[in-house]
Amino acid sequence: AIVWRGTPDEGAEGTRAVNKRITAELGGCTPYIIFPGEWTNEQLDYMARQIVAGKVHNSGHNCLAAEVVVTSRTWRQREQFLNRLEHHFNTTAQRVPYYPGSFEKYKAFKRAAARANLKELGKVGVEGAVPWILVENLDPKDVDGTEHWCGVMQEVALDLPDDDLNDFARSAVEFANERCAGQLSCSVWASQEVQTKLGAAWEKDVILGLRYGSISVNTCILPAFGFSRLGWGAYPGNGLDNIGSGNAMIHNSLRFDHLQKSVLYCPLPVFPPAIWLHDIKNGENIARLAAKYFANPSIGALAKLAVANLRA
């Protein structure tokens, strides 16, 4: 195991103690940016379900776990969206923070957020399980932008006049780049109408402006890791003395050189339900069939996976 202390040791003559090339893929504080706009009830519910899936897999012990949800305080449907977010946490069993040190991080976050709008959610789970924590309506300066590696989530509401899309794009991207630790992954939710209204700013200010190695649009970040053709790793630029989310890309089975980022677009909502959701009824069987398909792709393997997914 390598324990990263932040600054390489220097030798007696000022040289690095280790001259070997070291690469790493590390985690970060994954933001979920929700653009204001007109969403249907079905879309809002599916959005919330996906975001909860992005948190609860593996009890939140994931390098890509959802950490911060970014909204506009003046977004007309914000309360409705937060209600659906709470609903999907409440219908999910509480989990045990089993990873070494995660329970201590959970308790520390809970103490620090005690005066905020903290909600403890989830169905009572097995012995040792703890509630999911959701803290809402935070000011950007009050957000803890570290990677918590446990079952906690924050919602930050940006104060912007009249849901100006360009202002929101600039403010949300700046918040994600400057206030959220790391450069690994980010999820952006924007309707086709919003993307069209932004025009060139959608690509220039949002997709290109986000300094993240993996960006998912209208889905949680989980499938961006699962598709091996996409690169997975930190946005380029980190060094050994400032490692951030790492300094290398994995996956990238198409073998692109000097890959900066991968962007995955998904339709919203998806039918049948996405196989990475946490609450599908046939999940164990789907996982086995998906593993067989990705290991040895064929029409037959895909058909079996599709039939199982229809029963989700």
Side-chain angles (χ1 to χ4, degrees):
I2 296 175
V3 179
W4 206 275
R5 296 190 302 175
T7 304
D9 291 333
E10 299 293 335
E13 299 179 0
T15 58
R16 292 185 183 274
V18 178
N19 289 321
K20 291 184 178 180
R21 181 171 180 255
I22 298 174
T23 58
E25 181 273 328
L26 303 170
C29 176
T30 299
Y32 277 58
I33 299 172
I34 316 298
F35 270 81
E38 291 297 324
W39 301 86
T40 67
N41 292 339
E42 183 184 19
Q43 289 173 333
L44 285 173
D45 183 77
Y46 194 71
M47 183 192 308
R49 188 181 176 194
Q50 287 258 9
I51 294 171
V52 170
K55 166 53 68 178
V56 305
H57 278 300
N58 207 32
S59 300
H61 309 326
N62 268 335
C63 61
L64 45 60
E67 292 274 2
V68 179
V69 178
V70 184
T71 65
S72 169
R73 197 181 303 278
T74 56
W75 176 31
R76 186 180 62 83
Q77 294 178 296
R78 176 170 165 264
E79 288 302 320
Q80 183 183 356
F81 162 72
L82 291 175
N83 287 339
R84 299 316 298 166
L85 195 65
E86 293 172 21
H87 164 79
H88 285 290
F89 271 122
N90 272 326
T91 56
T92 302
Q94 298 167 1
R95 308 283 171 84
V96 177
Y98 68 88
Y99 200 91
S102 62
F103 187 45
E104 287 70 25
K105 289 184 177 182
Y106 177 91
K107 290 188 293 185
F109 178 89
K110 187 175 179 179
R111 285 194 301 269
R115 296 182 182 179
N117 187 15
L118 182 149
K119 298 182 179 181
E120 298 185 60
L121 307 169
K123 295 189 296 186
V124 176
V126 299
E127 183 180 354
V130 297
W132 305 108
I133 288 180
L134 176 62
V135 180
E136 298 174 353
N137 201 33
L138 289 172
D139 188 271
K141 63 179 176 54
D142 297 324
V143 171
D144 181 351
T146 59
E147 180 185 23
H148 293 97
W149 201 260
C150 60
V152 303
M153 181 181 287
Q154 303 166 86
E155 184 250 348
V156 56
L158 303 181
D159 284 307
L160 298 168
D162 300 324
D163 286 338
D164 183 282
L165 292 176
N166 287 284
D167 282 348
F168 181 83
R170 286 189 291 269
S171 297
V173 169
E174 180 182 10
F175 173 86
N177 286 342
E178 304 299 334
R179 295 300 308 276
C180 297
Q183 312 83 22
L184 180 63
S185 56
C186 176
S187 176
V188 183
W189 297 75
S191 66
Q192 188 58 55
E193 180 184 6
V194 165
Q195 295 178 39
T196 300
K197 285 182 177 179
L198 284 169
W202 169 252
E203 289 285 343
K204 180 182 177 182
D205 296 340
V206 181
I207 300 303
L208 294 178
L210 285 163
R211 296 196 296 269
Y212 288 86
S214 293
I215 299 172
S216 64
V217 179
N218 293 340
T219 180
C220 67
I221 198 66
L222 293 168
F225 177 84
F227 293 123
S228 62
R229 288 191 174 193
L230 301 177
W232 182 262
Y235 187 85
N238 295 330
L240 293 183
D241 56 348
N242 184 25
I243 196 65
S245 292
N247 59 350
M249 285 276 183
I250 59 173
H251 300 176
N252 185 24
S253 62
L254 295 179
R255 309 289 291 173
F256 287 112
D257 289 330
H258 310 297
L259 186 63
Q260 183 190 79
K261 66 176 68 175
S262 295
V263 183
L264 175 66
Y265 283 81
C266 284
L268 178 70
V270 174
F271 181 81
I275 64 174
W276 52 84
L277 289 172
H278 63 296
D279 57 356
I280 53 177
K281 299 175 183 178
N282 197 22
E284 188 173 346
N285 187 42
I286 288 173
R288 289 197 186 99
L289 293 171
K292 290 180 180 179
Y293 171 74
F294 285 116
N296 188 21
S298 68
I299 297 298
L302 180 61
K304 290 179 180 179
L305 177 58
V307 170
N309 200 24
L310 285 171
R311 298 170 180 165

